[in-house]
Amino acid sequence: MISTEHYFDWAATSPCDGQILRAALEESIEHWGNPSSIHEAGVDAKKALEKYRKTVATSLGVDSKTIFFTSGGTESDHIPLLSMLSKPGKGSVVVSAIEHPALREMSRMIQNCGWKTITVAPDKNGFIQPDSIASAIQDDTAMVTVMAVNNETGAIQAVKEISDAIKNSRAGKRRPLFHVDCVQAAGKIPLKLSDWGVDSAAFSAHKIGGPRGIGVLYLSRQIDSFLRGGGQEGGIRSGTENLFGAAAVSMCMEKYLIRSSNPESEKRFDTQKKWTESFIKAISEIKGCTLIPNCRSSDDFAEKFSPWVVQAAFKGIPGQVMERALSTEGFYISTGSACSSGRHSRPVLDSMNISPGEKESAVRFSFGWGTTESAMQELVARIKKIVGQFNG
């Protein structure tokens, strides 16, 4: 079994919480019926499913009627976007240029159905400005999507301010649906869905210690799902429910989401801020290191980035070379989104106008609840060693 001690790619996936997965398996064995069946076994499974739904809702501070189980973050992103296709006529969707491929690529696909995609670029630091979103909205815009925390730079987007800008720009007019990808935000920053004023939000279990293949979709208002079937999950996501996955994601959210009722999560969050601050200072002192974006080293921007993700470039060392060099010594990082690892393009960095040299050398370090301060210090030492070998 591969050790997680020097694993620094938590943004790609988190190691499973074995205790939770074993408990979820026991739950799914006990409640083995089909939740849609009306006999006793089905009713028993349905009660269990609704218990898990309530747990998720409580963890997010929302009503359980707004929670729907899906197959993962990608599907939770797709359902609101594809619901546009169920509407009569055509229109436009506004998509930020820093979105995960689940939204960026799918928004391009709906163009084949006659819809228009309006892309909004971030500023040089990777932030989507509320005014830019408001300016992009047209009379036929049916949806706006901006991720809460960027999976490559860790930039925390001003979701509440963007939501307010959307409402103010459409005062007295039809307001578009506002969707937020919260996959990298869950368990990494405090979530305030009700305060943010979002219409939908996507979550993924495997980013917070759960299994792959289960996600959550939050919907504050009803949508007309484009994908149809047996009508499970209120018709939003048809298909026999994944009871094991629902149990697991509910337990993970209860344990790892950062909120005042979970003081251990808040304490771990504050600790990671301190460790990441030291990490950033240490790698910044390495010859040839450039933080991406550069403002990451400024105290003024410390609270605007997730402490769980840091991106940097080391001059003269291609990102994939750094990744492999560290891997040979048992340290695991990445060059960006795992969903785009087979491609050479870096859309997020392109949208930020990062120079070709820095873009080629960019690597991502991402942390999680299992990360230790000593492991981060060892990572810095290994980076120094590799940079020294390449640059003398």
Side-chain angles (χ1 to χ4, degrees):
M1 180 176 177
I2 297 176
S3 171
T4 62
E5 181 183 3
H6 296 127
Y7 180 67
F8 301 102
D9 197 18
W10 288 72
T13 196
S14 66
C16 291
D17 185 315
Q19 184 177 8
I20 285 180
L21 264 61
R22 283 187 284 271
L25 179 59
E26 288 297 321
E27 290 268 321
S28 64
I29 292 173
E30 179 181 353
H31 307 292
W32 50 266
N34 186 323
S36 296
S37 298
I38 61 173
H39 49 61
E40 186 177 359
V43 172
D44 174 70
K46 181 69 172 180
K47 288 181 179 178
L49 183 67
E50 294 312 309
K51 180 183 72 172
Y52 308 143
R53 195 186 312 280
K54 185 175 181 180
T55 298
V56 170
T58 299
S59 299
L60 290 171
V62 299
D63 192 294
S64 60
K65 293 180 181 178
T66 65
I67 299 300
F68 303 88
F69 294 111
T70 70
S71 66
T74 292
E75 187 178 32
S76 293
D77 279 333
H78 284 178
I79 289 174
L81 182 59
L82 291 178
S83 73
M84 300 299 106
L85 301 183
S86 66
K87 299 177 181 295
K90 304 292 188 293
S92 63
V93 294
V94 173
V95 182
S96 86
I98 61 171
E99 294 304 293
H100 185 275
L103 282 163
R104 187 176 63 244
E105 297 300 323
M106 185 55 74
S107 68
R108 292 173 181 168
M109 291 302 296
I110 70 170
Q111 290 183 88
N112 296 333
C113 299
W115 281 71
K116 179 182 178 182
T117 297
I118 302 170
T119 302
V120 176
D123 61 22
K124 65 179 182 179
N125 295 320
F127 296 102
I128 300 296
Q129 296 301 321
D131 289 347
S132 298
I133 292 292
S135 299
I137 296 174
Q138 301 179 354
D139 287 339
D140 66 353
T141 299
M143 178 177 174
V144 174
T145 177
V146 179
M147 70 193 325
V149 175
N150 185 257
N151 55 309
E152 292 193 41
T153 66
I156 301 173
Q157 303 305 318
V159 176
K160 176 64 167 62
E161 289 75 9
I162 292 172
S163 176
D164 289 343
I166 293 171
K167 293 174 184 176
N168 293 335
S169 71
R170 302 301 296 170
K173 302 178 182 178
R174 181 179 62 83
R175 179 175 65 82
L177 179 80
F178 182 31
H179 175 74
V180 177
D181 183 327
C182 287
V183 170
Q184 291 294 342
K188 304 299 176 64
I189 65 170
L191 298 173
K192 302 177 181 179
L193 295 184
S194 297
D195 294 342
W196 284 351
V198 304
D199 297 299
S200 58
F203 301 89
S204 179
H206 80 96
K207 305 291 187 179
I208 49 174
R212 300 168 184 84
I214 183 70
V216 168
L217 172 63
Y218 162 77
L219 289 174
S220 68
R221 55 169 162 155
Q222 186 67 30
I223 63 173
D224 191 13
S225 180
F226 177 74
L227 300 175
R228 306 299 176 91
Q232 293 89 343
E233 293 299 290
I236 297 298
R237 200 276 179 180
S238 293
T240 302
E241 297 90 343
N242 176 359
L243 210 68
F244 162 73
V249 71
S250 71
M251 295 176 194
C252 287
M253 285 193 163
E254 185 175 43
K255 182 175 181 179
Y256 292 114
L257 290 198
I258 301 169
R259 59 195 192 283
S260 58
S261 59
N262 186 2
E264 282 300 313
S265 66
E266 290 188 318
K267 181 180 179 181
R268 183 65 182 85
F269 181 47
D270 290 337
T271 298
Q272 189 61 46
K273 287 181 181 179
K274 297 174 183 176
W275 291 353
T276 300
E277 181 181 351
S278 297
F279 176 79
I280 288 174
K281 184 177 184 298
I283 64 171
S284 296
E285 294 173 354
I286 298 175
K287 184 178 180 180
C289 175
T290 300
L291 291 169
I292 299 176
N294 290 323
C295 71
R296 192 67 193 266
S297 60
S298 170
D299 292 339
D300 294 336
F301 283 85
E303 295 298 319
K304 295 185 178 182
F305 288 90
S306 164
W308 309 91
V309 177
V310 175
Q311 185 159 213
F314 298 89
K315 188 175 182 180
I317 307 176
Q320 291 186 344
V321 173
M322 176 64 81
E323 180 181 1
R324 289 169 183 160
L326 283 170
S327 180
T328 59
E329 298 200 24
F331 289 73
Y332 308 119
I333 66 166
S334 72
T335 54
S337 172
C339 296
S340 303
S341 62
R343 307 173 187 176
H344 295 295
S345 62
R346 298 292 297 273
V348 172
L349 301 189
D350 286 339
S351 69
M352 294 168 60
N353 294 316
I354 301 300
S355 70
E358 290 179 358
K359 186 170 62 175
E360 182 184 9
S361 297
V363 291
R364 180 185 69 186
F365 309 102
S366 53
F367 319 111
W369 61 85
T371 303
T372 64
E373 183 179 23
S374 60
M376 292 177 69
Q377 292 170 345
E378 291 175 37
L379 173 61
V380 172
R382 290 303 192 284
I383 295 171
K384 287 181 179 178
K385 175 184 174 183
I386 292 169
V387 170
Q389 291 173 337
F390 275 86
N391 298 330

